[in-house]
Amino acid sequence: MTIFVQESGPADAPAVVLLHGVGTSGWMWTRQVSALATDLRVLVPDLPGHGRSNTLPWVSIADTARLVGEIIAARAPAGRAHVVGLSLGGYVGAQLAATAPEVVISAIVSGVNVLPFPNLGTMRLMGALMAPVMKWGPMLRANARALNVPAADIDGYQSAARATTRQAFRKVGDEALGFRLPPQAKDAPCRILAVAGENEHDLTKRSLTAIAGAFPQGEACLAPGVGHAWSGEKPELFTSMIRARVTGDQLPEELIPVPTGDGPGPHGAPQRPSGTEER
């Protein structure tokens, strides 16, 4: 059995794969799919333990990246795609770009932390305590407020969260706390854009330079005035960012470039990060 994939847009158009966060499903990309599928092939999987793939147990980020890579190889034109992931989807996207770059043209990874957490044991304990009540109404409403989920999306958010298995919620949370980029990243030829909301946790923002610096063609930027789930807070900006990477245009001016460890940009350019050069 394989994971569920929603497919939209022209079959022969450049492909974009959208990877959702933990506790939700491909549903979260509804606005992006509507905007992108007019002229792009859009593939939206429900990851194991989530949505319409919730009969499949969550195994690991690496195993899920393998499943996504197989989908791209089988369903995307020429077996390659632009990969976009937020939160859990960002971890999977980073893993895929590092370990299977032959199927990745470019990747956008948002909301990914690769730095050590302080008080890791306490964080793991909190995750274990939250798992049994993750589908409780007050907990869902509190999470929605914390993520700034728009009022129009609350029902969809709660429905997607309730379809997530507790096994997936707990294992994903535990694994993400210790996630590190695979060493293969240093040889991956695909272009990587690491992104975070300006209001995200400091570790996530500090991870931007680490992620961009790990890939030969890595870049980083901040989305102003938003938090972790900013694909819903500023869907038009998120969609414009995706389209720029596919078409090779400049990224939206609203995005704030983040210098990497090698200087103001991966190619020594002082201007904003550019889009991709390959479709």
Side-chain angles (χ1 to χ4, degrees):
M1 185 180 294
T2 188
I3 54 178
F4 172 84
V5 183
Q6 173 192 332
E7 300 187 53
S8 308
D12 59 349
V16 177
V17 177
L18 304 177
L19 303 175
H20 64 77
V22 67
T24 183
S25 68
W27 160 86
M28 67 168 274
W29 298 113
T30 299
R31 290 184 177 86
Q32 281 75 31
V33 172
S34 178
L36 294 171
T38 55
D39 58 340
L40 297 173
R41 187 66 169 170
V42 184
L43 308 178
V44 186
D46 282 352
L47 303 179
H50 296 75
R52 283 168 282 189
S53 299
N54 67 1
T55 58
L56 296 176
W58 177 267
V59 176
S60 66
I61 289 171
D63 186 71
T64 303
R66 176 187 61 80
L67 293 173
V68 174
E70 291 175 355
I71 289 167
I72 294 172
R75 304 193 190 192
R80 304 182 74 213
H82 300 271
V83 176
V84 180
L86 185 143
S87 193
L88 169 59
Y91 289 89
V92 174
Q95 178 80 25
L96 181 65
T99 59
E102 67 276 6
V103 301
V104 180
I105 301 172
S106 72
I108 297 173
V109 297
S110 184
V112 174
N113 175 55
V114 297
L115 301 177
F117 272 97
N119 305 313
L120 185 59
T122 301
M123 298 285 289
R124 293 190 192 280
L125 177 60
M126 289 177 60
L129 293 174
M130 288 177 60
V133 296
M134 58 167 283
K135 302 183 184 184
W136 185 41
M139 178 65 75
L140 290 177
R141 289 191 290 274
N143 285 341
R145 287 194 298 272
L147 293 171
N148 294 320
V149 175
D153 293 343
I154 293 294
D155 289 345
Y157 170 78
Q158 292 187 345
S159 177
R162 289 192 171 105
T164 305
T165 66
R166 289 182 174 85
Q167 182 263 0
F169 179 83
R170 182 168 180 176
K171 289 197 71 174
V172 167
D174 190 63
E175 187 177 4
L177 287 173
F179 180 79
R180 299 294 180 268
L181 290 169
Q184 299 95 313
K186 65 181 176 60
D187 299 316
C190 49
R191 300 188 71 181
I192 305 295
L193 177 65
V195 190
E198 188 177 27
N199 300 331
E200 289 209 53
H201 192 285
D202 184 60
L203 278 177
T204 304
K205 292 188 288 185
R206 286 168 48 203
S207 290
L208 293 176
T209 53
I211 298 169
F215 289 86
Q217 297 197 71
E219 301 169 86
C221 64
L222 284 170
V226 293
H228 187 65
W230 71 280
S231 60
E233 289 185 79
K234 289 192 175 182
E236 294 84 6
L237 177 60
F238 204 104
T239 301
S240 296
M241 174 183 66
I242 296 172
R243 188 172 288 281
R245 293 303 271 187
V246 175
T247 61
D249 293 336
Q250 288 280 20
L251 289 172
E253 287 293 315
E254 192 174 347
L255 295 177
I256 305 167
V258 175
T260 67
D262 294 327
H267 308 297
Q271 69 270 17
R272 299 184 169 274
S274 62
T276 64
E277 298 173 356
E278 181 178 0
R279 294 192 61 167

